[in-house]
Amino acid sequence: MDNKPLKVIVSGGGTGGHIFPAISIANAIKELRPDASILFVGALGRMEMVRVPEAGYDIVGLPVMGFDRKHILKNIKVLYCLMCSRRRARRILKDFRPDIAVGVGGYASGPVLKEAARKNIPIVIQEQNSYAGVTNKLLSKDARIICVAYQGMERFFPADKIVITGNPIRQNLLVKDFDKNQAYLNFGLDPSKRTIAILGGSLGARTMNESVLSSLELIRNNPSVQFVWQTGKYYFEEMIKRLSETEPVPNLYPLDFISQMNMLYSISDLVISRAGAGSISEFALLEKPVILVPSPNVAEDHQTKNALSLSDRNAAVYIPDNKAVEELIPAALNLVCDEDKLKSLTENIKQFAMPDSARIIAEKVLSIVENK
């Protein structure tokens, strides 16, 4: 290949689980090729339109949206937006002239990668989940390689295109420029107590929040355990109001959003989380015992499949969403005091860790361009 600057499109988003790996891949490409020009393509109105510029990259948005499986007639607008998005994707490709396009899943990756393949621009897919999404399955026949995090993905993709790379994680989670006492102080926690982190994501998870509210007396009656509870910004005011209507729970610490996740992970004896692929990759790399409560509101119920892929190997505890309100907090309190079980979960989940995922994917991308 000649010495002209490398141009890469990275497309996808919708959730942190797609955006953070995408940014990690872009950072890894820039490390290997500082001259690279990287353009993100996302969905208008979704969180990537804010998060990507914060990470220092340009992004353009498509008016694309997901299909409404419950209200079929609403999909007339969805189809119209898809047509507009494909037209816009063609214009972006014509103007930017990328050497390669990388799709990380999410609404925007479909139109961009499909149009790239039509123009004979090589495409790479990164599938984070143990159960492939519809968009990536449709795109797989056009992909040069498909980067995956789980074994057995030949159920969905051509076996000769699959490369096991793991999922890139947020780089700042690995930063340890503090000691544990500083982390306890940051959250106002007691170092002598066991700590459970309840993470419903940046927007929050109704089931997680109701699970906490239904077990306030149990939490109160276990003062040797403290809970950091990320309610999510969407639910925070409601949760604080409902807490104010009951007796104080001094060992419960509600927060709307947690920015210093590296600090919280460092002092958590147990994590409770949804089962997004990105989160699971973080727990594996950080060797965190975890209870997974998969969200039922995701395509093809892929979070349940993610959770089962770990719980079947005794690498996580799985509690279904519809049982969480009754079972979650009692199970967490039992588990956090069971040293043998915590140790077993830690040993088993770290087998899933792949610390150099972003770099491996970046090297594959550059190899395709150089051999084009």
Side-chain angles (χ1 to χ4, degrees), residues 4 24 51 54 65 67 93 129 148 161 174 192 195 218 223 228 240 242 251 260 270 289 294 307 331 333 355 358 365:
K4 72 183 182 71
S24 294
R51 296 284 186 224
E54 284 176 352
M65 57 181 69
F67 280 93
L93 293 168
N129 293 292
V148 303
K161 295 184 178 183
L174 303 174
S192 68
T195 302
L218 186 60
V228 178
I240 294 300
R242 289 171 67 179
N251 55 331
Q260 291 172 303
L270 175 66
L333 284 165
V365 167

Side-chain angles (χ1 to χ4, degrees), residues 299-310:
E300 289 122 354
D301 197 25
H302 67 251
Q303 285 203 6
T304 295
K305 297 172 179 80
N306 291 347
L308 288 171
S309 69
L310 267 72

Side-chain angles (χ1 to χ4, degrees), residues 33-85:
R33 281 286 298 268
D35 67 310
S37 178
I38 300 175
L39 176 67
F40 280 74
V41 183
L44 289 170
R46 306 291 289 192
M47 65 187 288
E48 59 264 30
M49 302 307 293
V50 175
R51 296 284 186 224
V52 168
E54 284 176 352
Y57 294 101
D58 292 332
I59 186 168
V60 291
L62 304 180
V64 66
M65 57 181 69
F67 280 93
D68 192 323
R69 291 173 169 82
K70 293 179 182 174
H71 308 96
I72 302 300
L73 288 178
K74 289 188 178 178
N75 289 317
I76 295 170
K77 182 180 179 183
V78 173
L79 290 169
Y80 174 73
C81 289
L82 181 60
M83 252 179 8
C84 294
S85 295

Side-chain angles (χ1 to χ4, degrees), residues 97-363:
R97 299 172 64 84
D99 297 293
I100 194 164
V102 181
V104 297
Y107 303 139
S109 65
V112 175
L113 267 66
K114 195 69 190 167
E115 292 302 321
R118 282 162 60 96
K119 290 178 175 291
N120 293 318
I121 297 165
I123 69 172
V124 170
I125 293 171
Q126 199 249 331
E127 172 57 66
Q128 291 111 14
N129 293 292
S130 62
Y131 191 89
V134 172
T135 300
N136 280 349
K137 282 191 277 191
L138 292 172
L139 291 167
S140 63
K141 64 181 173 53
D142 296 319
R144 294 290 180 89
I145 61 166
I146 302 158
C147 302
V148 303
Y150 294 88
Q151 301 282 349
M153 296 303 285
E154 58 274 3
R155 291 175 296 157
F156 311 107
F157 303 128
D160 60 334
K161 295 184 178 183
I162 293 172
V163 182
I164 296 182
T165 60
N167 286 324
I169 73 163
R170 292 174 281 181
Q171 301 304 301
N172 60 353
L173 292 181
L174 303 174
V175 174
K176 294 283 176 67
D177 57 351
F178 56 87
D179 61 34
K180 277 198 170 186
N181 286 330
Q182 192 182 339
Y184 281 111
L185 204 62
N186 184 66
F187 291 99
L189 298 174
D190 183 343
S192 68
K193 295 182 178 182
R194 296 269 171 173
T195 302
I196 298 176
I198 305 172
L199 308 174
S202 56
L203 295 178
R206 169 66 71 183
T207 299
M208 302 279 209
N209 293 338
E210 294 297 337
S211 299
V212 173
L213 291 173
S214 71
S215 298
L216 292 178
E217 187 176 351
L218 186 60
I219 294 169
R220 197 185 292 116
N221 291 338
N222 283 272
S224 62
V225 180
Q226 55 199 351
F227 292 77
V228 178
W229 173 28
Q230 185 189 45
T231 66
K233 293 183 177 181
Y234 183 78
Y235 296 106
F236 185 67
E237 287 184 15
E238 178 195 346
M239 295 301 114
I240 294 300
K241 181 176 183 297
R242 289 171 67 179
L243 275 178
S244 71
E245 295 164 356
T246 185
E247 282 181 56
V249 189
N251 55 331
L252 179 65
Y253 299 81
L255 297 166
D256 62 342
F257 180 75
I258 299 167
S259 57
Q260 291 172 303
M261 286 300 302
N262 56 339
M263 280 194 170
L264 181 59
Y265 280 142
S266 75
I267 55 174
S268 296
D269 299 288
L270 175 66
V271 178
I272 297 170
S273 172
R274 288 304 201 187
S279 297
I280 288 172
S281 296
E282 292 173 359
F283 304 142
L285 204 54
L286 298 168
E287 301 177 14
K288 284 286 133 187
V290 61
I291 297 177
L292 296 172
V293 185
S295 170
N297 307 312
V298 294
E300 289 122 354
D301 197 25
H302 67 251
Q303 285 203 6
T304 295
K305 297 172 179 80
N306 291 347
L308 288 171
S309 69
L310 267 72
S311 65
D312 287 348
R313 295 167 177 80
N314 193 31
V317 172
Y318 159 54
I319 294 180
D321 187 85
N322 61 5
K323 293 185 178 178
V325 170
E326 186 180 329
E327 297 181 7
L328 181 57
I329 300 303
L333 284 165
N334 286 332
L335 177 55
V336 81
C337 297
D338 186 340
E339 286 289 353
D340 290 340
K341 180 68 172 173
L342 289 176
K343 187 176 179 183
S344 169
L345 289 171
T346 299
E347 288 299 313
N348 291 331
I349 199 168
K350 74 181 184 183
Q351 308 301 321
F352 287 78
M354 294 189 72
D356 297 317
S357 298
R359 187 178 182 88
I360 294 166
I361 295 168
E363 286 172 349

